[in-house]
Amino acid sequence: MMRVLNGVMIVVAVSLILLLLLQPVGTDAQWAIAEACLVAMLAIKLLKLSGYWRHLFFTLGAILVLRYVYWRTTSTLPSPEHLQDFIPGILLYAAEMFCVVMLALSLFVISRPITRGRAPAIQEGRAPTVDVFVPSYNEDSSLLALTLAAAKGMDYPADRMKVYLLDDGGTEEKINSTSFKVADAAARRRHELQELCRVLDVTYLTREKNVHAKAGNLSNGLLHSRGDLVVVFDADHAPAREFLRETVGFFAQDPKLFLVQTPHFFVNADPIEKNLSTFDSMPSESEMFYGMIQKGLDKWNAAFFCGSAAVLRRSALEQVGGFAGTSITEDCETALELHAAGWNSVYVAKPLIAGLQPETFSSFIGQRSRWCSGMLQILLMKNPLFKKGLSPAQRICYLSTCMFWLFPIPRMAFLFAPLLFIFFNLKIYNSTVAEFGAYTMTYLVAAVLLQSYAYGRFRWPWISELYEYLQSVYLLKSIAGVIRNPRSPKFNVTAKGGSTEQDHLSGFAWPYFLIFVVLLLAQGTVFYRMHAEPEAAGLLLIVGFWNMFNLMMAGLALGAVCERRERRQSHRLPTEARGTLSVDGLVFVGSVIDISQGGMLVRASGKEAIRLQSSARLALTLPGKAPASVSIPVRIANVRSEGDDRIIGVSFETLNAAEYGAVARMMYSDLTLLRGVRQSRQRSKSIVLGTAQILLWGFRQTLRGGYYALFRREPASTVPATTH
Amino acid sequence: MRPVLALAFAASLLPLAVGAAESPRRSLAGSVSSLSFPVLESRRALPIAADEMDFVGEAASHEYPVYLTANEATRPAKLKLAYLNAISVLPETFHLTVKINDVVVGETTKQASSRPGDLSLNIPAGLLEVGFNSVRISVRQSHRVDCSAGSTYELWTRLLPDQSELTFTGGVADIRELRDLPAVGSGKNGSTPIRVKVLRGSSSKDVVSASRAVQSAVLLGQYTNPVVEFDPSSPGVGGLDIIVGQAGAIESLLGQRLQGSGPRSQVLQGTSDGRVTLAVTGANEAEIDAALEALAERASAAVPVGSPAGLRALKNVSGRRLQGGESATLNELGLESEPFRGRLSRQTVKVQLPPDFLAADYGRVTLTTDAVYAPDLSPSNKLIVRVNGTVIADASMANPRGDVLKRHILYLPTGAFKSGLNTIDIEAETRTAGDARCDAVALLDQRERFLLAGSSEITVPTLARIGALPNISSAMSGGLGLLSKELSVFIPKGRSEAIDASLTVLAKMASVAGHPTTVNVGFEQPPQSGSHVLAIGAFGDVPDAMLRAAELDPDKLRSAWQGTTTGAVQTSSNPERIKVASMDASGELVVPSRRVPTDPPVATSSLHDQLANTQSSLGGLKTLVGSTSSDWLTRHVGSVFATASDIVTEPLRRTGVLASPEAARLVVTDNSTLVIAQGARARDLQDGSQPGFLPSIESTTVIVAPSAADLVASTSNLLTGSLWQQLVGQAAVFDSETNQIATRVSGNIWLSKTAGLDVQNVRLIAAGWLSRNVPVLLVALLAVLLVLTMLLQRTLRTTGVREP
C-alpha cells in the first residue's frame, strides 16, 4: 500500500517537475534555474554530502539536462528545407540524445550502489564441492603454473575442491591438424601441461574440437566435473588464498544464487596508462566498472559474469545448457540467460584475484573490439528489452551495459561536427551566443559535475573521453561488422602480458595522427576565418573552442599510441616474507621486497661480495595463518647497494610443485598490500585540477607523439604472451 | 448621366503629362471633341499624420493609403507635393521619389531649404484604382559637411500636408454610400474630425448611442486618427458629421429628405459644401437602436477594397496586425527594398500584436534577414535590430569583401514586445574608411552600400493570449473591450469635453483593434454592470477613490496641478526596455518639490574617455616593457571579473531573484497635461497582495488631465500621432508641450481570461507568468525536487536488492 502511494506521489512529483521544466521560459529564467541548480550541486560536491544529498545532486543535474534537451529539441534544429544543414544537424542531435539516454540509464544503474558484507562462514563439514576451471588456449606453462598453484593454494577443505586446467591448445583437432607445425606445437603443449598438472595435482582436460571457443571449453569442463559450484579463473588470473572463503558462503544463503562475481584486479598497467605514465598515480580504467558500476548493478540484481574471478552454481548453468555461446561475450550472455531464468547474482567488491591486462595498444584494441562486438551481438540477438523473465530494472541495467558500446558513434559525431562548420560553413546548430551560454554551457558543466561527483574517486575528469576516443577509431568498424551480420564476429584471444622491447609507434597509430592533422588544419582554419570573417567571430569562437578540445584529446591520444618500452616480462607484486639467502657458502639475512613470476627482489644486510649468476637457495618463512617454510632454488641476477643494505635481484631456477605453490602463495595469498597501493590512487581529482592536468598531458603527449612519429617509427619486436 | 458626360468632356481637354502620355488612353476620353468648358477640380489632401510628414535620415520612406471613389479613380489625376529640406541636406545628393501603387510616377532632385519646393505630377491613367491606393514618397539625402552616423539624424525633408494633395479634374468625390466613407478627407495632422449629434439629447444613454455610431463609422471609413466632437456647437470643417435620431428630426435639421423607411443608415453629401453626413435613423427609438446595431454589423464585416499596394498601405498604417503563429515579409510590412547609399540605414516596420498578448520571455520572434553589404566597409559596422527602441539583436557586417546574409536569423525574445503597437527598427551602419576623413569625395560618395531585401521575414510564434492588468498599452489597443462584454465608461459630471475625449478614445480603440467596444456610460458614477471601468475626466471631476483605484495618489496630483509648487522638470523615466513586472518592483508616484536641473550632456566626457583610454594603453605599454606596475593587469582582471559577474548576476537581477537596484518612479508636474493609469485587483481577494493565477479581476483605467481643455487637447494630440504607442506599464504621464511621455511599470500583474484556455495557450500563459515570476518558478521547482528526491530515495531503499 505504501509502495503504491509512494509510486503515485512520484508520478505526481515528476509530472509537476516536467510541467515546470518544459515551460518555454526565456534565457534569463534559464540562467536563474541553471545557476540555482549548479550552485546547489557544487555545494553538495564540495561539502562531500552523501545519502539524500547524493540523490538530490542527481535530480538537480537531471533538471539541467532536461532543460537542455527541451531547448535543443524545440529551438536549435536546422530547418528541413535546407537538407545540407538538416541531415548533419539531425545526426548530431541524435548523437547528443543518445548520450542523454545513456546518462539517464547509468544514473539509474548507480542510483544506489550496494556493498555486500562478508560472506557467511562455510561450515567445514558441509562446504559445497567446488570445481575450479582454468581455461587456457595458448598461455605458457610458467604462467599457468602460478595460476594453478595459486588456485590449489586457496583456503578451502582440500577434499571439497578440485582444480581443472581446461586446455584448448591441446585439443584433438589441433593435434590432428594437417599443419605439421600446429600439430607438433599442440602435442608438445599437451604433454608439457599434462606434466605440469601431474606435478601440481591438477586435472588436465581437453576436448575433441575447438567449438564455441571459451564458452565451449568451459561447458566441456562442466561435462567432466560434478562439483556443486564452479569457479572460473582466466589463465592469468591468480586467486588470493581467501577467494573461496569470501565468496562461497553466499550460496548457502540463497538457493537461487547463481553467481558471485569479484573484481578483475590487474597488476600491470593497460597500454594507455603505461604510455601516458599514469599507472602509479591515477585510478585505472577498470576501477570505475568494478568500483561503482557493478555495485550499482548488484542493487538491481543485475551484476553480471565477467568471464573470470567468479563462482557459479552448477545446477543453474545446467538449467540453461551450460555457458552460452551465441555471442563472443559468453560471460555476460550467460548471466543474462540466468537472470532471465530467475536466478540471482551477488557482487563482492573486494579484489580477490591478481590478473594481467593487455599491454600493447593493438591487443587492447583487440580486446575492446571483442567486448564491443559481443555486447552488440547481445543487443541485437537477445535484446534485454524483450528478453522474457527479466525485471524492468534488469532490463535497464543490461540495456545500459550493451548500449554503452555504441559510444563510438556519438564520439565520432562530436569529433567531426565542428569541422562541418569550420570547413563547409554548415550551420547545424541554431542558437544565439546568449542561449548557448544559458543552455549548452550550463548543461556541459552539469554533465561534468555529474560525472565527477558520481565517479570522481574512480575516474578523473576527461579520462573517459580519452579512452572513448581512443577506442572509437577502431570500434566503429566492429559496430559496422555486427550490424551487417550479427553472427559474424569470431572470438579472438586477447594477447596479454608480453613486453615491448623498445619505444616505438604502435602499428595502430596512423589514424590518430591523421585525425590530429585534420583537427589541426581545422584549428588553423578557425584562426584564419576569425581574422578574415570577424562577423562570424562569436560562432567561430564557440566552434573553435570545441575543436580545440577535440584537438587536445587527439594530441593526448598520440601519446597513448606511442608504446613505451617495457623490459620486464612479468610484473612485480609487493610481498612480505623474511628468510635467508645462502649463496656460495655465505648466508645473508633479509626480506623479500617484491616478487614476480620470474624472480624476487631481496633486501639483505652483510657486506660480503656476491658473484653474479651464482646459484643460491632462498629459505623463506611464509607469513599468514599457516606459516610455512620453503626453500627455493634461485640464481643471482643483479646486486646493488642501498645505504647499508644490498638489494639483490634473484631469478627462479626450475621449480617443483611445492616451490611453485610457495611462489604463488607469496605472490597472491595476501593481496592486502597491493589493494592498499591501488586504493591510495582512488582519490578524486577536482575538475579544475583535472582539466589543468589533462591540458598539460595533452601538450606533452602531442610533442611525444610527434617525436615518435619522426624518430621511433620502426616496428619493434614484441613478445606477446597471450591468454584469454 | 449628364454629369458623367460633362466630366468626360472636361477630362479630354487636359494636356497629358509626359509621364502619363505613354499610358493607354481611355476610350471614353479619346472620343470627345475639344470644346471649352470651365474645368472642375476636386482636391484630396494626403492623409499625412503629424509624425509621418518628416523624412529623417539618409533614406526614408512613407506610404499613405488614399481612398478613391469610383468617380475619382477614373478621372485624370494629379499629385501635388510641397516639401522643405533641412539646411544640412547636400543639394547634389537629394532625391525624392514618388510611387503610386508601386509604380514610380515622378521624382525630383531639387533641394529646397529656403522656401518650399513643389512637385506636380500627372498620374498615368489606369494606375489608380477604386478603393485604397498607395502613395509612397521616398527621400534620399546626405549631409553637407558631416559623415558621422549621428549627423544623419539632422537630415530631414518635411512634406507640407496642407499643400500636398491629389487633385482630380472634373467634379467632386461622390460619397453617397457607406462603402465610400473612407473618402471622407482628413483634416489637420492627418486626423479625421467626426462630429456626432444624438438628436434625443446628451444623456449618458445618448453618449452610448454616439459611441456606437462613431465606432462603426471609424471602422467603415478606416479612419486611423479620428477626433470626435459630441454635439458640436459649431459646424466645423471637413470630416464626417454623424446624426443619430428619428428620421423626421434629421430631415428638418438637414433640410433634406431621407430615403427609405425602417431602421437605416444613410450617407448624405451636401451639394454645395460637399459636407458628408452619416444619418442613423428610424421611426422610433427601437428602430434607431436597430439601425445602430445593423450599422455596427456592417462595420465589423467591412472589407476594404483597393489596389494590392493600397490595401498593404492601409494594413500597415497603424501597424500590421499579427496574431501570432504567422509570418510576414518586410515587403508586406511596407518596407521599400532599395539599395542604400548612405552611412546609417534605418528601416522601421510596425506590427500590432494582440491587445491580450502576454508580453514575457517564452518564445522568440524570428527575423530572417536577407541582406547584402558592399566590400570595403569599416569592420566595426553592424546590423542592429531594435524593438521599441531597445537593441535586441545584432549581426556583424565586418567582412572586408562584403557579404550576402542569406536567411540570416535574428532572434527577438517575445519579452521585448508589448501588447498593441510595436516598432522594429533594422539599422545598419555602413561607414567606410573614407567617411572617417569626410573629404569632398566621401561626402559625394553615393555608391550602393547596403540592401535589406523585402524577402526578409518576420515570424511571430504562437503567443500567450490573456489579459494582463494593469497594462495601459493593451487598453489603448482594444484590450479593455476583450476583458468583458461591456466596458463601463465613467464620464464624471458628463462634462462635454470629457465626452469628446471619451468618444475619441473609443474611436481610436476601434480603429486600432479593428472591432468596436461595447460600452455603458455613466455620468454620476460608474455603471454597475461592468467590472472594468474607464474613467475620463478633468482632475477636479474624477473622484479620489477612482484615482486611487487606478493606483494614482490624488494628493500628489493635487499638489502638482492645483498646488503652489512651480513647475518641476519633467524627468522621462521611459524605460530602455519594456520591462514586465517582477514580484518586488513597486513604483511610487512622486512630485519633486522644486525644479531639479538635469545634467546637460557633458561635452568633456569624451575627453575623459580619451584620457582614460590613453592611460589604459600606456598601462598596456608599461606592462609590455616589463614595468612592475600591475595596474593594467589588475584593471583587466577586474574587468573580466566584472563581465563574468555580470553574466552571473544580471539574469538574476532581471528575473527578480536578486533585488533590482532601483524601483520605477513616475513624476507628475504642473507641465503634465494628461495622466493615464490603470489599477487592477482581484474581486474575491480585496487585500490580495500576491498575484494570483486566474481570479476574477476588476480594473479601473483613468485618463485624467488638469483641466477639461487639457483633456481634449492632450487626448487628441496623444492619439493622432504615434505617441500613444509609448503608453506602457501601469501609468503614463504626458506633457503636451514637449510631447514627452513618462511611464511607470507595475508591481503586480493580474491575469484575466480573454481568449480560450486551450492546452497550448495555458502552457504559454504559464510560461509567461513563470518567466515574470522566476523566483516562484525556482522555489516551486526546488520544493518539488526536494520532495521528489525524498520519494525516490524511499523507493530506492525499498526496491531492488535489500541492502545488507
Side-chain angles (χ1 to χ4, degrees):
Chain A
M1 186 59 202
M2 272 304 286
R3 268 191 151 185
V4 174
L5 188 69
N6 216 32
V8 170
M9 282 168 73
I10 287 181
V11 170
V12 171
V14 168
S15 318
L16 268 175
I17 291 263
L18 287 179
L19 205 69
L20 289 170
L21 278 188
L22 302 187
Q23 294 298 338
V25 290
T27 315
D28 280 346
Q30 168 64 16
W31 268 117
I33 295 173
E35 285 178 27
C37 289
L38 289 177
V39 166
M41 288 169 80
L42 211 58
I44 292 173
K45 186 171 184 296
L46 293 179
L47 296 172
K48 297 192 164 55
L49 302 176
S50 56
Y52 172 83
W53 300 103
R54 182 171 178 273
H55 293 125
L56 185 63
F57 188 95
F58 291 155
T59 45
L60 284 166
I63 295 261
L64 290 186
V65 173
L66 283 176
R67 284 289 302 161
Y68 175 73
V69 169
Y70 170 74
W71 169 77
R72 180 81 172 89
T73 309
T74 55
S75 305
T76 63
L77 296 178
S79 156
E81 286 166 27
H82 304 103
L83 277 184
Q84 77 278 17
D85 292 340
F86 180 73
I87 292 170
I90 281 294
L91 291 179
L92 179 65
Y93 171 76
E96 281 184 60
M97 291 307 117
F98 172 79
C99 291
V100 170
V101 169
M102 284 314 295
L103 179 69
L105 293 180
S106 58
L107 280 183
F108 175 81
V109 168
I110 61 157
S111 57
R112 203 176 168 92
I114 54 174
T115 305
R116 300 277 181 170
R118 280 186 77 94
I122 302 161
Q123 293 173 325
E124 291 298 322
R126 296 167 60 189
T129 49
V130 175
D131 294 324
V132 179
F133 291 166
V134 179
S136 169
Y137 183 70
N138 54 5
E139 294 80 6
D140 66 43
S141 64
S142 62
L143 183 77
L144 285 168
L146 278 176
T147 306
L148 292 170
K152 278 299 280 185
M154 285 191 292
D155 181 15
Y156 202 72
D159 59 330
R160 308 196 76 80
M161 175 178 81
K162 204 167 174 194
V163 180
Y164 293 84
L165 173 63
L166 308 180
D167 182 25
D168 247 7
T171 51
E172 293 298 324
E173 183 186 341
K174 294 225 170 212
I175 285 180
N176 298 328
S177 168
T178 48
S179 155
F180 170 74
K181 215 171 148 188
V182 171
D184 181 52
R188 275 198 281 127
R189 175 182 167 84
R190 185 195 278 191
H191 178 73
E192 186 186 2
L193 292 182
Q194 275 173 337
E195 182 55 26
L196 178 71
C197 289
R198 193 187 57 71
V199 172
L200 293 176
D201 186 24
V202 165
T203 310
Y204 176 88
L205 266 182
T206 188
R207 52 180 177 148
E208 250 340 280
K209 287 187 167 169
N210 297 64
V211 285
H212 288 313
K214 186 176 173 184
N217 195 6
L218 290 171
S219 294
N220 183 53
L222 275 183
L223 287 177
H224 294 87
S225 60
R226 55 177 52 122
D228 302 326
L229 304 177
V230 172
V231 178
V232 181
F233 294 125
D234 274 353
D236 53 0
H237 283 182
R241 263 179 72 77
E242 70 266 35
F243 183 90
L244 295 175
R245 295 274 171 198
E246 298 275 5
T247 51
V248 169
F250 288 108
F251 286 90
Q253 215 175 29
D254 177 7
K256 285 301 279 178
L257 183 69
F258 83 93
L259 169 75
V260 176
Q261 175 70 49
T262 73
H264 291 184
F265 186 63
F266 300 111
V267 297
N268 64 332
D270 73 35
I272 295 161
E273 288 174 301
K274 183 194 73 181
N275 294 333
L276 299 180
S277 312
T278 61
F279 185 56
D280 294 329
S281 55
M282 190 177 78
S284 291
E285 190 216 10
S286 63
E287 286 172 43
M288 184 167 115
F289 178 72
Y290 288 109
M292 176 63 79
I293 295 173
Q294 274 283 48
K295 281 183 178 180
L297 292 169
D298 199 19
K299 164 74 185 172
W300 304 113
N301 189 23
F304 63 88
F305 176 40
C306 301
S308 173
V311 190
L312 299 108
R313 192 188 290 273
R314 172 184 295 273
S315 55
L317 287 169
E318 284 172 350
Q319 189 193 328
V320 296
F323 291 88
T326 310
S327 72
I328 57 173
T329 44
E330 80 298 332
D331 35 20
C332 182
E333 189 188 341
T334 305
L336 175 71
E337 292 290 351
L338 285 166
H339 276 130
W343 294 87
N344 301 331
S345 59
V346 158
Y347 173 69
V348 172
K350 190 175 177 186
L352 293 166
I353 61 119
L356 293 176
Q357 53 185 337
E359 200 136 309
T360 61
F361 185 70
S362 49
S363 54
F364 171 80
I365 289 294
Q367 180 193 47
R368 297 310 162 99
S369 300
R370 178 166 77 80
W371 291 358
C372 173
S373 305
M375 288 304 193
L376 294 184
Q377 282 181 307
I378 295 177
L379 190 64
L380 292 178
M381 298 194 288
K382 293 191 174 178
N383 195 310
L385 215 49
F386 310 112
K387 181 87 187 165
K388 263 191 198 151
L390 292 176
S391 72
Q394 285 173 326
R395 287 181 204 283
I396 294 176
C397 290
Y398 274 104
L399 211 57
S400 159
T401 308
C402 297
M403 276 171 60
F404 166 79
W405 288 97
L406 289 170
F407 71 79
I409 300 172
R411 185 59 51 200
M412 286 292 125
F414 299 150
L415 189 71
F416 290 111
L419 305 185
L420 295 179
F421 176 73
I422 295 171
F423 289 130
F424 308 113
N425 209 18
L426 297 186
K427 296 191 177 75
I428 62 177
Y429 195 125
N430 285 337
S431 156
T432 63
V433 175
E435 284 177 334
F436 190 84
Y439 289 93
T440 315
M441 290 311 287
T442 57
Y443 158 71
L444 289 176
V445 171
V448 171
L449 273 176
L450 274 173
Q451 198 190 35
S452 169
Y453 180 78
Y455 303 115
R457 208 151 65 82
F458 305 103
R459 183 65 53 89
W460 285 2
W462 312 115
I463 297 300
S464 293
E465 284 73 11
L466 173 67
Y467 272 85
E468 286 190 6
Y469 165 62
L470 279 165
Q471 297 175 59
S472 295
V473 175
Y474 283 98
L475 259 45
L476 268 187
K477 213 175 105 187
S478 307
I479 295 175
V482 177
I483 291 171
R484 253 201 320 272
N485 180 6
R487 289 180 192 282
S488 68
K490 292 280 172 285
F491 195 101
N492 64 320
V493 177
T494 307
K496 294 184 192 168
S499 66
T500 320
E501 293 284 302
Q502 60 188 63
D503 291 347
H504 72 281
L505 209 55
S506 166
F508 279 41
W510 70 266
Y512 301 94
F513 280 89
L514 182 69
I515 291 173
F516 179 81
V517 169
V518 171
L519 296 186
L520 194 64
L521 283 177
Q523 201 58 32
T525 311
V526 168
F527 288 127
Y528 168 75
R529 283 188 61 186
M530 277 181 124
H531 177 73
E533 304 163 44
E535 75 279 6
L539 204 52
L540 279 166
L541 198 70
I542 291 172
V543 179
F545 198 75
W546 181 359
N547 189 63
M548 192 68 137
F549 172 82
N550 287 339
L551 184 64
M552 196 272 303
M553 274 292 155
L556 187 50
L558 295 189
V561 296
C562 293
E563 304 278 18
R564 279 186 200 277
R565 68 178 181 170
E566 183 71 69
R567 280 203 193 283
R568 271 168 295 162
Q569 294 214 7
S570 48
H571 299 275
R572 291 160 188 269
L573 302 178
T575 185
E576 278 175 342
R578 303 194 66 80
T580 52
L581 179 70
S582 318
V583 47
D584 296 340
L586 298 167
V587 177
F588 298 87
V589 178
S591 60
V592 181
I593 300 170
D594 61 32
I595 181 166
S596 73
Q597 198 184 318
M600 284 189 251
L601 205 58
V602 181
R603 177 189 297 274
S605 54
K607 296 197 162 36
E608 292 82 357
I610 299 175
R611 196 164 45 84
L612 291 185
Q613 295 302 321
S614 52
S615 290
R617 273 204 102 78
L618 189 61
L620 292 169
T621 308
L622 303 183
K625 275 188 200 158
S629 292
V630 68
S631 172
I632 299 168
V634 295
R635 187 178 290 276
I636 304 295
N638 55 65
V639 181
R640 65 190 158 89
S641 292
E642 195 180 278
D644 289 343
D645 296 337
R646 268 185 297 180
I647 310 291
I648 305 163
V650 299
S651 56
F652 299 131
E653 301 273 21
T654 314
L655 303 181
N656 66 25
E659 289 157 356
Y660 264 127
V663 170
R665 187 169 161 189
M666 282 180 72
M667 284 182 82
Y668 305 117
S669 67
D670 186 6
L671 292 173
T672 321
L673 284 175
L674 196 56
R675 277 196 289 261
V677 172
R678 289 307 145 75
Q679 221 138 42
S680 69
R681 299 187 311 189
Q682 288 182 358
R683 53 183 208 279
S684 43
K685 191 97 175 173
S686 84
I687 295 170
V688 176
L689 282 181
T691 308
Q693 173 103 73
I694 279 285
L695 288 175
L696 186 72
W697 285 350
F699 183 68
R700 247 190 1 223
Q701 298 301 336
T702 308
L703 295 183
R704 200 169 75 87
Y707 173 76
Y708 272 57
L710 293 174
F711 304 111
R712 289 279 188 277
R713 249 174 326 193
E714 291 304 307
S717 60
T718 53
V719 186
T722 51
T723 69
H724 281 304
Chain B
M1 201 58 211
R2 243 187 345 165
V4 176
L5 267 179
L7 285 170
F9 275 120
S12 69
L13 301 176
L14 278 175
L16 286 170
V18 179
E22 290 163 16
S23 61
R25 290 183 176 202
R26 298 201 155 257
S27 54
L28 188 65
S31 62
V32 181
S33 60
S34 51
L35 290 170
S36 181
F37 281 94
V39 175
L40 281 170
E41 195 176 65
S42 75
R43 296 161 191 278
R44 173 68 66 79
L46 291 180
I48 303 174
D51 54 337
E52 290 198 326
M53 59 189 191
D54 287 336
F55 296 75
V56 179
E58 291 161 309
S61 164
H62 289 305
E63 188 174 29
Y64 312 99
V66 183
Y67 184 90
L68 302 181
T69 60
N71 200 5
E72 290 167 316
T74 50
R75 309 260 155 210
K78 221 176 208 186
L79 179 66
K80 286 183 184 163
L81 292 178
Y83 61 93
L84 206 56
N85 296 120
I87 186 80
S88 51
V89 170
L90 182 68
E92 285 84 347
T93 59
F94 176 73
H95 200 112
L96 184 148
T97 312
V98 182
K99 283 183 185 174
I100 289 180
N101 291 334
D102 291 341
V103 174
V104 176
V105 294
E107 49 196 2
T108 178
T109 54
K110 198 179 107 197
Q111 194 244 28
S113 56
S114 48
R115 57 193 167 81
D118 52 18
L119 184 66
S120 179
L121 302 165
N122 292 309
I123 299 169
L127 190 55
L128 295 174
E129 291 184 26
V130 179
F132 283 97
N133 292 272
S134 148
V135 175
R136 186 198 284 276
I137 296 165
S138 310
V139 166
R140 212 166 76 207
Q141 52 203 357
S142 70
H143 204 283
R144 275 175 197 271
V145 289
D146 197 340
C147 303
S148 69
S151 73
T152 61
Y153 291 96
E154 296 168 12
L155 301 170
W156 54 261
T157 294
R158 170 168 295 176
L159 275 189
L160 305 176
D162 42 356
Q163 297 169 51
S164 300
E165 59 190 11
L166 278 164
T167 57
F168 304 93
T169 310
V172 292
D174 229 5
I175 306 175
R176 299 190 192 280
E177 299 284 342
L178 283 175
R179 66 161 185 271
D180 285 333
L181 278 183
V184 170
S186 55
K188 200 180 100 193
N189 287 349
S191 62
T192 306
I194 298 175
R195 292 165 296 273
V196 57
K197 191 173 181 67
V198 180
L199 293 180
R200 191 172 47 202
S202 55
S203 69
S204 60
K205 196 164 168 276
D206 299 318
V207 175
V208 173
S209 301
S211 91
R212 292 171 74 184
V214 166
Q215 293 188 67
S216 300
V218 164
L219 292 173
L220 285 164
Q222 308 283 351
Y223 309 136
T224 43
N225 297 313
V227 175
V228 187
E229 214 179 329
F230 182 72
D231 207 2
S233 44
S234 62
V237 187
L240 176 70
D241 294 327
I242 300 176
I243 303 179
V244 182
Q246 291 186 3
I250 294 177
E251 282 170 357
S252 64
L253 186 76
L254 296 178
Q256 212 175 341
R257 266 200 69 77
L258 293 176
Q259 292 165 357
S261 61
R264 60 198 190 274
S265 301
Q266 196 177 338
V267 178
L268 306 157
Q269 192 173 24
T271 42
S272 54
D273 54 5
R275 285 183 79 97
V276 182
T277 307
L278 169 64
V280 185
T281 186
N284 50 41
E285 287 305 313
E287 280 198 9
I288 294 172
D289 214 44
L292 283 169
E293 193 58 44
L295 185 68
E297 272 171 29
R298 269 198 78 170
S300 295
V303 180
V305 293
S307 71
L311 292 174
R312 178 193 67 212
L314 178 70
K315 275 185 186 168
N316 292 326
V317 72
S318 294
R320 164 84 56 137
R321 285 189 203 112
L322 292 175
Q323 299 296 311
E326 60 190 314
S327 303
T329 62
L330 294 190
N331 262 344
E332 287 163 351
L333 293 172
L335 177 110
E336 191 183 32
S337 183
E338 287 286 329
F340 176 71
R341 297 155 194 271
R343 296 161 190 108
L344 180 69
S345 155
R346 184 170 194 166
Q347 313 245 33
T348 301
V349 292
K350 291 193 277 189
V351 291
Q352 182 90 241
L353 295 180
D356 58 345
F357 148 59
L358 181 66
D361 278 338
Y362 52 81
R364 51 197 191 177
V365 172
T366 46
L367 173 61
T368 313
T369 326
D370 287 331
V372 192
Y373 62 91
D376 301 325
L377 301 183
S378 302
S380 60
N381 288 331
K382 263 185 183 177
L383 178 76
I384 291 174
V385 180
R386 292 176 202 270
V387 177
N388 296 324
T390 305
V391 176
I392 297 297
D394 59 31
S396 169
M397 305 202 308
N399 195 333
R401 295 186 303 277
D403 205 354
V404 179
L405 302 179
K406 192 160 184 287
R407 313 301 290 163
H408 184 91
I409 293 177
L410 294 164
Y411 294 113
L412 318 172
T414 44
F417 291 79
K418 62 187 174 76
S419 49
L421 188 61
N422 292 270
T423 53
I424 302 172
D425 297 316
I426 304 164
E427 271 180 21
E429 210 173 324
T430 51
R431 290 166 54 76
T432 61
D435 290 339
R437 292 193 305 275
C438 202
D439 50 18
V441 178
L443 284 168
L444 287 167
D445 181 6
Q446 284 290 295
R447 74 190 174 103
E448 294 173 358
R449 300 189 186 190
F450 177 73
L451 174 71
L452 177 64
S455 57
S456 304
E457 198 173 27
I458 289 178
T459 305
V460 180
T462 306
L463 301 171
R465 302 289 294 272
I466 194 158
L469 297 164
N471 179 1
I472 53 176
S473 109
S474 150
M476 279 302 128
S477 48
L480 286 177
L482 295 176
L483 294 171
S484 57
K485 276 187 200 150
E486 195 173 74
L487 176 65
S488 299
V489 176
F490 175 43
I491 306 170
K493 300 182 181 166
R495 213 184 269 277
S496 71
E497 292 91 338
I499 296 175
D500 291 353
S502 306
L503 290 175
T504 302
V505 168
L506 289 171
K508 181 70 180 182
M509 277 162 50
S511 160
V512 173
H515 57 79
T517 305
T518 310
V519 298
N520 199 355
V521 176
F523 286 166
E524 301 312 318
Q525 57 180 34
Q528 294 301 310
S529 57
S531 48
H532 298 279
V533 177
L534 171 65
I536 299 179
F539 175 64
D541 298 343
V542 182
D544 283 3
M546 190 116 293
L547 293 172
R548 286 202 189 91
E551 291 180 34
L552 290 173
D553 183 344
D555 297 331
K556 288 185 172 163
L557 288 180
R558 193 166 293 120
S559 73
W561 282 338
Q562 295 177 351
T564 51
T565 47
T566 53
V569 167
Q570 177 84 34
T571 318
S572 168
S573 66
N574 223 352
E576 273 280 280
R577 174 173 172 181
I578 311 309
K579 277 194 178 172
V580 291
S582 58
M583 294 271 294
D584 56 347
S586 70
E588 197 200 346
L589 198 65
V590 292
V591 183
S593 54
R594 61 191 177 82
R595 187 176 286 267
V596 182
T598 45
D599 287 336
V602 184
T604 53
S605 71
S606 60
L607 201 64
H608 278 289
D609 288 348
Q610 279 174 14
L611 203 61
N613 286 341
T614 322
Q615 274 169 354
S616 109
S617 58
L618 273 180
L621 197 66
K622 264 192 220 163
T623 316
L624 278 178
V625 297
S627 156
T628 49
S629 160
S630 61
D631 230 31
W632 177 83
L633 192 67
T634 327
R635 208 167 33 233
H636 278 258
V637 169
S639 93
V640 167
F641 185 77
T643 311
S645 117
D646 268 4
I647 289 175
V648 173
T649 57
E650 268 310 298
L652 297 184
R653 198 158 277 142
R654 279 201 294 270
T655 51
V657 178
L658 295 180
S660 276
E662 58 187 70
R665 289 158 82 85
L666 191 70
V667 183
V668 178
T669 68
D670 56 352
N671 286 337
S672 310
T673 49
L674 197 70
V675 172
I676 300 169
Q678 191 175 57
R681 66 227 136 250
R683 219 180 325 186
D684 333 331
L685 198 86
Q686 284 300 332
D687 63 331
S689 49
Q690 288 298 309
F693 197 67
L694 279 183
S696 176
I697 302 297
E698 55 184 29
S699 74
T700 306
T701 311
V702 166
I703 300 178
V704 61
S707 68
D710 279 332
L711 184 66
V712 173
S714 294
T715 310
S716 58
N717 190 359
L718 187 69
L719 295 182
T720 49
S722 61
L723 281 169
W724 66 276
Q725 67 161 299
Q726 293 179 27
L727 301 176
V728 287
Q730 183 264 321
V733 177
F734 176 57
D735 179 341
S736 205
E737 221 166 280
T738 58
N739 276 352
Q740 292 269 1
I741 292 177
T743 56
R744 175 173 69 182
V745 173
S746 166
N748 291 339
I749 291 288
W750 297 93
L751 299 180
S752 179
K753 183 181 168 228
T754 52
L757 294 178
D758 54 277
V759 178
Q760 164 82 332
N761 200 23
V762 167
R763 185 163 163 273
L764 291 174
I765 292 167
W769 190 85
L770 287 171
S771 69
R772 290 169 137 178
N773 296 285
V774 171
V776 177
L777 171 64
L778 276 184
V779 169
L781 201 56
L782 290 180
V784 184
L785 205 63
L786 289 173
V787 175
L788 176 67
T789 307
M790 204 179 70
L791 293 169
L792 283 176
Q793 205 194 14
R794 203 159 73 186
T795 309
L796 282 174
R797 214 181 301 137
T798 52
T799 49
V801 171
R802 288 299 163 94
E803 282 146 67

